[in-house]
Amino acid sequence: MSKREYGEEELLALSGLQHMAFCERQWALIHLEKQWKENLQTMEGRILHERVHDPLLFEKRGDRITARAVPLVSRRLGIYGVADVIEYHRVVESLTDTENETAMETVRDAPDPAPEAVAGFAPGAVRVAGKDGMWRPYPVEYKRGRPKKDNRDRVQLCAQAMCLEEMYHIRINAGYLYYGEIRRREAVELDEHLRKEVEDLALRMHELYERGATPPPLTRQGPCKLCSLRDTCMPRLPKTGRVTDYVRNVLKDIQEERGALP
Amino acid sequence: MRKLLNTLYVTLSDAYLARDGENVVVRSGDEERFRVPIHNLEGIITFGYTGASPALMGLCAERGVALSFLTEHGRFLARVTGGVSGNVLLRRKQYRMADDEDASLAIAGHMVTGKIANARTVLQRGLRDHEGRIRGEVVQKAVNSLAGILREIPGAGSLNRLRGMEGDAAKIYFEAIDELILEQKETFYMRGRSRRPPLDCFNALLSFLYTLLAHDVEAALETVGLDPSVGFLHRDRPGRASLALDVMEELRPYLAERMALSLINRRQVDSKSFYQKENGAVYMDAEARKTVLTAWQKRKAEEITHPFLGEKVPIGLIPYVQSLLLARYLRGDLDGYPPFVWR
């Protein structure tokens, strides 16, 4: 991973990471070629997100604040996007102003997930505008379907957390994926392995974007069946053979047929 | 393959199209005549001076539904499209190839090959199906001549030479197609193609079918992100959808001419379906247009095995498949443009 930061112009959509994790060609069709096709699943997803993104659906229940449609950016990964929901869980009751300042500095200066630096104070906590106390943010991503075998939803969630970490200068250890079909959320541990995957995918995404060329379809059969872009992608195409031969055969058939005439 | 969605044809001359939520609503006077959810539609074509609300136009543009306005005679007036979409890199490639004579010739050569091969198949089918009822030797001679031209295409050498060959082939084909008109020969005959305006019933019928095909091809090209106005065979001309005309070439015999022949031979249209203007222009009446539209829609839902993909596709999606294949070639996924060749 290079140490440089990406400029405003170079930022790519965070949502592309889940496409990258699924299939590089799918990412290219959507983000390079702008060939988004809506199907029933994606339409349901869009409607779900429209609801989730409604900023008027504000919630505060005791020790939990729910912020919706939160803009995110990471200069280091070169990605930007909008989180469905960021939940802020209260970790410290209301403090006096001085205590608060100290707490803030402690958090800001903490080089790593600070060990419990201040008594009763957890690392990775931030202040929330207009609210007392310290709060720990967790990204929550809403998905229409059910948990998937692959990592693509976790990758997206982890990338959101990494944006938040960069924006707040904190460490976030977990997030949640909510699945509409099972109506349940699952906690996701944001471990080093997952973080590495996000970094690799982001780097590869920038590489493909730079090249501007759509990579060939995957050869394995699996994910294509689930892909809403299958008809645009035509994954079977390479198997159909060369166009030169196809056109030559057309001409050859006509030739032979003609020779056979009485 | 992608589901074939419907095209809504609005033939009520006093109809007004409006949006209600996610629905397209057709009104006539104060009355609501028809209502359909936008996601069931691929295109809307209106005939006559039908109006549409800006809200509906916006909905169509947003959802990629092609909305075309035609005159009551089926002459194209205007089309609503959204902001320029798709991949700018792909369009750049299209322009670069269109500027390059050799690259254009390679694509155009395949398109003309497809066109002539399909025209030849139309004649051959006529020979086979109507043996004894037609002057077989006349048609056979045309079939052979077309094979001769096809042989020369790979060595055409220049776009102008290719255009010349295409013109020769069209002349031979249209002369012979007259033989395949088996019924109502006093009303329908082909003595040369006339377009602006069509001067006889057969030409009027063909013009109408070409307009329907052009709408579908333009919409398909837009869908895959190509610019319908920059072609390889047809030169750029302001206001002309040259690429749509290019892609249409190979589809005309199979989709339009064959359908015209069967409408006439099955007597689904007759002399009463047409009227002549004072200046000699011939048009179809509203009743006949409805008959043709119904037949066209039915035909689009039938399936055929695509000769290159080897996959079953609804006939109505052939323009879309060809547009995709062209985009795939421009992108470098394929070694050439595979024309649709009807076997």
Side-chain angles (χ1 to χ4, degrees):
Chain A
M1 183 82 206
S2 68
K3 282 288 168 212
R4 77 174 186 111
E5 297 219 322
Y6 290 92
E8 194 82 17
E9 272 283 284
E10 296 171 294
L11 299 177
L12 297 177
L14 186 156
S15 59
L17 289 174
Q18 62 181 317
H19 303 130
M20 284 292 296
F22 181 72
C23 164
E24 287 188 353
R25 185 174 168 91
Q26 193 200 50
W27 174 84
L29 290 172
I30 296 169
H31 298 268
L32 277 180
E33 301 185 11
K34 307 289 179 192
Q35 287 286 317
W36 177 248
K37 284 266 157 51
E38 194 150 82
N39 61 23
L40 185 65
Q41 280 74 31
T42 62
M43 195 181 84
E44 284 173 10
R46 180 171 55 81
I47 291 167
L48 174 77
H49 276 82
E50 274 167 13
R51 225 175 291 149
V52 171
H53 275 180
D54 183 352
L56 296 176
L57 276 171
F58 181 82
E59 264 176 64
K60 182 177 181 302
R61 274 185 276 166
D63 288 342
R64 195 172 284 195
I65 299 170
T66 306
R68 294 175 195 276
V70 181
L72 299 171
V73 63
S74 164
R75 299 270 172 193
R76 193 174 65 84
L77 297 169
I79 54 176
Y80 74 99
V82 179
D84 289 338
V85 164
I86 305 293
E87 272 183 9
Y88 293 86
H89 297 194
R90 188 195 290 280
V91 285
V92 180
E93 285 299 320
S94 184
L95 303 170
T96 65
D97 274 357
T98 341
E99 278 170 333
N100 227 336
E101 285 303 310
T102 324
M104 280 304 294
E105 274 161 30
T106 314
V107 174
R108 283 273 151 77
D109 297 342
D112 234 44
E116 320 306 297
V118 180
F121 185 82
V126 297
R127 287 183 78 174
V128 175
K131 301 279 178 297
D132 286 339
M134 297 299 288
W135 304 78
R136 195 182 332 201
Y138 296 96
V140 186
E141 174 66 16
Y142 281 72
K143 295 290 176 196
R144 184 195 65 85
R146 41 181 57 249
K148 299 165 187 78
K149 282 194 192 115
D150 57 51
N151 243 355
R152 78 192 113 120
D153 293 343
R154 282 183 286 274
V155 159
Q156 194 188 359
L157 184 74
C158 186
Q160 293 176 1
M162 289 165 85
C163 287
L164 279 176
E165 289 178 340
E166 195 176 308
M167 292 163 83
Y168 282 132
H169 302 284
I170 56 167
R171 169 86 178 193
I172 299 171
N173 291 320
Y176 298 96
L177 285 167
Y178 175 88
Y179 287 101
E181 246 172 64
I182 56 170
R183 305 179 133 275
R184 221 179 37 231
R185 57 158 65 175
E186 62 177 39
V188 177
E189 191 199 336
L190 308 174
D191 60 17
E192 290 315 312
H193 187 77
L194 196 54
R195 288 165 187 274
K196 175 79 168 51
E197 195 173 340
V198 171
E199 297 201 353
D200 291 348
L201 285 172
L203 200 59
R204 176 79 180 138
M205 184 163 81
H206 280 280
E207 229 172 80
L208 288 176
Y209 191 83
E210 206 56 43
R211 242 197 295 152
T214 306
L218 296 172
T219 42
R220 64 195 159 99
Q221 272 296 314
C224 297
K225 284 198 184 73
L226 308 167
C227 181
S228 67
L229 286 173
R230 197 176 172 190
D231 298 335
T232 311
C233 170
M234 295 184 160
R236 270 165 31 93
L237 249 190
K239 272 193 244 158
T240 58
R242 289 166 50 80
V243 173
T244 328
D245 296 336
Y246 164 78
V247 173
R248 196 179 296 137
N249 283 336
V250 169
L251 295 173
K252 207 177 111 212
D253 286 356
I254 288 168
Q255 199 92 324
E256 281 167 4
E257 202 186 290
R258 195 177 173 227
L261 287 173
Chain B
M1 248 309 142
R2 195 167 75 136
K3 199 173 136 203
L4 175 66
L5 300 167
N6 287 313
T7 303
L8 172 65
Y9 298 101
V10 183
T11 52
L12 286 168
S13 56
D14 66 338
Y16 185 78
L17 296 166
R19 171 184 188 170
D20 180 10
E22 299 283 297
N23 296 294
V24 178
V25 177
V26 181
R27 288 202 196 108
S28 173
D30 290 335
E31 217 185 312
E32 178 178 323
R33 300 287 290 265
F34 187 72
R35 167 182 289 260
V36 61
I38 188 87
H39 71 256
N40 286 340
L41 292 179
E42 179 128 310
I44 302 176
I45 304 185
T46 74
F47 295 89
Y49 297 103
T50 309
S53 71
L56 179 82
M57 295 187 201
L59 183 68
C60 288
E62 186 192 313
R63 298 302 162 83
V65 173
L67 170 59
S68 293
F69 298 96
L70 312 186
T71 66
E72 57 174 320
H73 307 308
R75 193 170 60 80
F76 177 80
L77 287 174
R79 199 157 52 91
V80 174
T81 48
V84 179
S85 67
N87 184 4
V88 62
L89 304 175
L90 176 66
R91 276 196 300 276
R92 280 263 197 197
K93 188 76 188 286
Q94 178 190 349
Y95 300 151
R96 279 199 294 274
M97 300 268 270
D99 280 340
D100 179 335
E101 164 98 13
D102 289 340
S104 295
L105 185 60
I107 301 173
H110 282 187
M111 288 168 163
V112 174
T113 299
K115 173 178 181 150
I116 300 178
N118 290 338
R120 190 171 165 277
T121 307
V122 167
L123 298 181
Q124 262 181 327
R125 290 278 172 125
L127 268 180
R128 196 188 69 188
D129 297 345
H130 311 304
E131 207 192 338
R133 289 189 68 189
I134 59 174
R135 292 188 298 164
E137 67 289 350
V138 175
V139 182
Q140 185 62 57
K141 205 171 146 234
V143 167
N144 294 348
S145 307
L146 293 181
I149 296 176
L150 273 172
R151 230 190 355 251
E152 288 170 26
I153 288 177
S158 76
L159 277 172
N160 269 340
R161 178 91 187 81
L162 181 69
R163 289 182 188 118
M165 291 173 172
E166 196 267 312
D168 293 346
K171 198 161 167 290
I172 293 166
Y173 168 58
F174 275 123
E175 271 167 21
I177 214 171
D178 191 48
E179 295 291 325
L180 303 188
I181 299 170
L182 306 173
E183 304 284 335
Q184 321 180 67
K185 284 181 89 76
E186 60 297 334
T187 309
F188 299 99
Y189 42 81
M190 175 43 89
R191 291 176 199 145
R193 176 88 182 105
S194 54
R195 289 180 299 165
R196 289 195 193 108
L199 298 172
D200 58 64
C201 296
F202 192 59
N203 270 299
L205 181 54
L206 278 184
S207 288
F208 187 72
L209 287 166
Y210 291 158
T211 311
L212 298 181
L213 182 58
H215 167 94
D216 289 356
V217 173
E218 279 200 52
L221 289 167
E222 292 271 5
T223 306
V224 305
L226 290 168
D227 183 340
S229 58
V230 176
F232 302 101
L233 177 66
H234 289 84
R235 291 189 190 89
D236 291 356
R237 215 170 75 185
R240 180 165 80 175
S242 294
L243 185 61
L245 294 177
D246 283 3
V247 173
M248 269 177 74
E249 290 292 359
E250 71 203 52
L251 305 182
R252 283 175 205 237
Y254 179 65
L255 295 177
E257 283 116 42
R258 214 166 68 103
M259 166 149 271
L261 287 172
S262 82
L263 285 165
I264 294 165
N265 289 340
R266 289 185 193 150
R267 293 182 173 272
Q268 285 171 278
V269 291
D270 56 33
S271 61
K272 294 195 289 296
S273 307
F274 297 84
Y275 60 91
Q276 190 162 28
K277 304 274 265 191
E278 298 71 15
N279 63 354
V282 175
Y283 294 113
M284 264 193 295
D285 68 11
E287 200 52 45
R289 283 202 307 269
K290 219 174 251 177
T291 308
V292 176
L293 289 172
T294 310
W296 178 255
Q297 280 294 77
K298 224 177 107 198
R299 185 82 196 291
K300 276 164 71 166
E302 290 167 18
E303 287 197 329
I304 184 177
T305 302
H306 191 278
F308 180 70
L309 293 176
E311 227 177 283
K312 279 212 161 184
V313 292
I315 287 172
L317 280 191
I318 294 174
Y320 174 73
V321 173
Q322 291 311 119
S323 303
L324 261 181
L325 289 169
L326 180 57
R328 288 274 162 265
Y329 170 54
L330 296 182
R331 245 167 230 154
D333 282 0
L334 288 171
D335 63 310
Y337 167 68
F340 176 82
V341 180
W342 177 42
R343 313 299 286 272

